[in-house]
Amino acid sequence: MTVTYTAHVANARFGGFYKLLLLWRGSIYKLLYKEFLVFFIMYLALSITYRFFLTEDQRSCFEKVSLYCNNYANLIPVSFVLGFYVTLVVNRWWNQYLCMPFPDRVMCAINATVHGSDERGRMYRRTLMRYCSLSGLLILRSVSTAAFKRFPTIDHVVEAGFMTRHERKKFENLHSSYNKYWVPCVWFCSLAAQARKEGRVHDDPAYKMLIEELNTFRGNCGMLFHYDWISIPLVYTQVVTIAVYSYFLTCLIGRQFLDPSKGYIGQDLDLYVPVFTLLQFFFYVGWLKVAEQLINPFGEDDDDFETNFLIDRNFQVSMMAVDEMYGDVPLLVKDRYWNDSDPRPPYTAATLFQKRQPSFQGSTFDMGLAKEDMQFQPLSDIEEMNEESITHPFPLLSRLLPGVGASPHSSSAALASPFAAPGSCVMLLRRSTSSASETSDILERESSQDPTCTETLPHPETRPNDVPVQTIFNVETDSPFNSPTEPTTPVLDTTLASQENESSASCETSPNIT
């Protein structure tokens, strides 16, 4: 039977595991003590032989062999190989339990979809559930030694009531060299289709749900069969076993305490019992024995799955659910908190302290702000993030490196402005935002030799109503960089003409671009 100790470790406390170390059933001591005694006796035999029965030349040769084994024993990757193997085995062990064929979902589906309070309706429900339990029994007796010992032949299955004699004849007349655990599932589908034709299953969605739940159950049975068929590759199990046992066979010689008078490195102390070597054996070989126990949980070890218990439980619960509990619904009454908008179940004296603890409201529930920070500000008072309000903490970097500063457009404009040739005409594209969030773009040509040709209009926020929304800025071409104090605007630099045409071109104000 599975060793359950969860109640002993429900609460973490000082020395919480010390009681578990005294358990024998299911313990590592019960699993390992024979190998441990064999290793310790072999070590003592070699130690006594070295100390009392070897000649001086033989002792010298033994010491050389011991030093050699001790130096090269760590080349065997025991920890890596064994750790990965045990992880693989434990994951496989738990997945096998998740594939156990529990009939709970099928019995609920049968109870909800197969109707009829008469004897035939009852027979439909019980037979469907029995077919489901029979399929689970057939697969468990195929993979579990404990279940097979309980039901060694089909006759035992018939005597146990999972199968009738007529069903046994049909089962045996189906000639197949493969495992026939799926046959009761096919009988289930045929019987469900017959119940649908008779109107016991009212509609097609209910029939579809019933078949889907059966397929889920059958899928779990199939996965158990595949886990039993496809094992962890034998080569990996052999590699791990050889690595562990060869390592400790090497330790039998390499961990011997040699004569301290010889002056060997690390042999200053002479003991008869290798404490840490024994601990290492206990951990590594114990780890291997854990994998040996979990690699097939359908045996009869202390921690293997209790298949016979599961067979009994599943059959009893499923039959009761589809038969005695069909249509047996408690009276529909008002609950205790019918008129209570805030129902609160009571606490016992042992759990009253949990009621007094505050409930979690969120990470920012206790966060505080100053009064002035909690005042809403009118949108008209919030200054737009345009070029006039942006401050550049690093004006030089914002002009030299694209993307550095408050606005990526301003940095690109500053990067482009130093390369405007003196005396050239530059088109500046600037976006201005009006109170109605409309934009207008202005293109301007400017000659450095006649700066008086520039037309400047009022700022959009201070302009009269009759002045159009536009802004034109002067560009000083005789300076390699714009002044840091001047607003930086998105710039579109293009050369309008060649250098010969620039000297003779007149400054004209470009039309607005909407």
Side-chain angles (χ1 to χ4, degrees):
M1 188 174 183
T2 304
V3 180
T4 302
Y5 58 89
T6 51
H8 298 286
V9 293
N11 298 318
R13 59 186 182 276
F14 177 75
F17 281 178
Y18 76 94
K19 291 183 179 179
L20 304 180
L21 299 178
L22 303 178
L23 298 178
W24 173 255
R25 186 173 171 277
S27 65
I28 188 63
Y29 319 121
K30 182 180 178 181
L31 199 63
L32 187 61
Y33 76 95
K34 294 180 180 179
E35 285 87 351
F36 187 84
L37 288 177
V38 170
F39 179 80
F40 185 58
I41 291 173
M42 292 176 65
Y43 183 90
L44 287 182
L46 282 177
S47 180
I48 293 172
T49 302
Y50 164 71
R51 295 172 186 274
F52 300 105
F53 296 100
L54 296 182
T55 63
E56 190 63 31
D57 293 339
Q58 292 173 341
R59 292 181 63 183
S60 178
C61 181
F62 180 84
E63 290 166 358
K64 292 179 181 179
V65 174
S66 177
L67 293 174
Y68 176 81
C69 293
N70 189 37
N71 290 334
Y72 291 97
N74 292 328
L75 295 179
I76 303 176
V78 183
S79 300
F80 173 75
V81 175
L82 189 58
F84 187 79
Y85 181 75
V86 173
T87 302
L88 181 63
V89 169
V90 171
N91 290 334
R92 175 187 173 89
W93 166 77
W94 182 245
N95 289 332
Q96 289 183 76
Y97 182 77
L98 295 180
C99 292
M100 290 293 291
F102 286 97
D104 297 57
R105 295 181 58 175
V106 182
M107 72 186 187
C108 292
I110 292 175
N111 201 341
T113 57
V114 183
H115 302 283
S117 300
D118 56 346
E119 184 176 348
R120 186 165 180 81
R122 180 186 177 192
M123 190 179 301
Y124 267 119
R125 290 189 297 274
R126 289 185 65 91
T127 305
L128 288 172
M129 197 67 252
R130 184 169 56 82
Y131 286 161
C132 192
S133 300
L134 176 60
S135 180
L137 173 62
L138 292 178
I139 192 61
L140 286 178
R141 68 183 293 270
S142 300
V143 302
S144 172
T145 58
F148 181 81
K149 288 180 179 180
R150 183 179 178 184
F151 306 99
T153 63
I154 298 297
D155 291 335
H156 291 80
V157 177
V158 174
E159 291 297 326
F162 287 90
M163 181 186 293
T164 64
R165 298 190 181 276
H166 178 70
E167 292 167 353
R168 174 193 170 184
K169 290 180 181 179
K170 283 188 170 293
F171 184 82
E172 292 178 345
N173 289 335
L174 295 172
H175 300 289
S176 177
S177 58
Y178 306 104
N179 194 316
K180 295 187 291 185
Y181 70 90
W182 46 268
V183 171
C185 295
V186 179
W187 292 346
F188 183 102
C189 295
S190 300
L191 190 61
Q194 182 178 331
R196 175 70 183 98
K197 290 180 181 179
E198 294 184 8
R200 302 286 177 174
V201 180
H202 291 170
D203 49 23
D204 290 336
Y207 175 72
K208 177 176 179 290
M209 181 187 70
L210 188 61
I211 299 302
E212 286 178 349
E213 294 300 334
L214 172 74
N215 284 329
T216 301
F217 182 87
R218 193 220 60 83
N220 289 336
C221 295
M223 285 304 299
L224 284 186
F225 179 78
H226 292 309
Y227 272 118
D228 185 65
W229 177 28
I230 307 297
S231 302
I232 295 177
L234 180 62
V235 292
Y236 198 7
T237 303
Q238 290 176 340
V239 165
V240 173
T241 305
I242 293 173
V244 173
Y245 284 105
S246 62
Y247 177 79
F248 285 104
L249 285 176
T250 306
C251 289
L252 284 176
I253 302 175
R255 299 294 177 86
Q256 292 287 338
F257 290 99
L258 305 180
D259 188 359
S261 61
K262 299 294 184 67
Y264 296 118
I265 299 176
Q267 299 291 337
D268 300 332
L269 187 62
D270 188 11
L271 298 176
Y272 291 93
V273 180
V275 178
F276 290 99
T277 301
L278 294 178
L279 288 175
Q280 197 174 24
F281 180 88
F282 186 84
F283 297 145
Y284 282 162
V285 180
W287 211 357
L288 182 64
K289 298 298 286 186
V290 169
E292 181 181 344
Q293 186 178 33
L294 298 183
I295 194 171
N296 183 12
F298 295 102
E300 297 178 85
D301 295 326
D302 290 338
D303 274 317
D304 285 343
F305 300 153
E306 300 176 36
T307 53
N308 286 323
F309 169 80
L310 292 175
I311 291 171
D312 295 339
R313 180 263 173 195
N314 293 341
F315 189 68
Q316 190 272 333
V317 169
S318 59
M319 284 299 183
M320 182 176 65
V322 299
D323 189 8
E324 298 178 16
M325 296 184 64
Y326 176 75
D328 186 12
V329 182
L331 293 176
L332 191 62
V333 297
K334 296 181 179 179
D335 60 86
R336 179 178 178 180
Y337 307 99
W338 179 263
N339 295 320
D340 193 352
S341 60
D342 186 17
R344 299 193 177 208
Y347 285 80
T348 60
T351 58
L352 187 59
F353 71 96
Q354 298 178 357
K355 176 65 177 67
R356 295 171 181 171
Q357 294 177 353
S359 60
F360 181 73
Q361 300 291 336
S363 302
T364 62
F365 183 73
D366 296 328
M367 184 176 176
L369 291 175
K371 267 188 177 180
E372 55 272 14
D373 293 336
M374 290 189 290
Q375 299 295 328
F376 281 116
Q377 301 296 322
L379 292 179
S380 59
D381 295 343
I382 301 176
E383 189 176 7
E384 295 289 342
M385 294 297 295
N386 51 20
E387 290 81 0
E388 289 80 2
S389 61
I390 294 177
T391 58
H392 301 289
F394 304 101
L396 181 60
L397 291 178
S398 65
R399 300 175 190 279
L400 294 179
L401 299 178
V404 176
S407 174
H409 301 289
S410 61
S411 60
S412 61
L415 183 62
S417 60
F419 300 99
S424 65
C425 295
V426 179
M427 291 192 302
L428 296 181
L429 177 64
R430 186 187 183 281
R431 175 182 299 171
S432 299
T433 306
S434 66
S435 58
S437 300
E438 298 178 352
T439 60
S440 61
D441 300 327
I442 307 301
L443 290 176
E444 175 193 8
R445 292 181 183 176
E446 180 185 50
S447 174
S448 60
Q449 302 177 2
D450 190 6
T452 59
C453 66
T454 302
E455 178 183 1
T456 303
L457 296 179
H459 191 273
E461 298 182 358
T462 59
R463 64 179 175 81
N465 295 330
D466 56 345
V467 179
V469 180
Q470 56 184 359
T471 306
I472 301 176
F473 289 95
N474 295 330
V475 176
E476 298 179 3
T477 57
D478 57 345
S479 175
F481 293 98
N482 291 336
S483 174
T485 59
E486 295 177 356
T488 308
T489 62
V491 178
L492 177 63
D493 295 333
T494 55
T495 303
L496 299 177
S498 61
Q499 297 243 344
E500 294 80 9
N501 295 332
E502 289 176 3
S503 58
S504 61
S506 62
C507 296
E508 300 176 357
T509 302
S510 63
N512 295 341
I513 297 178
T514 303

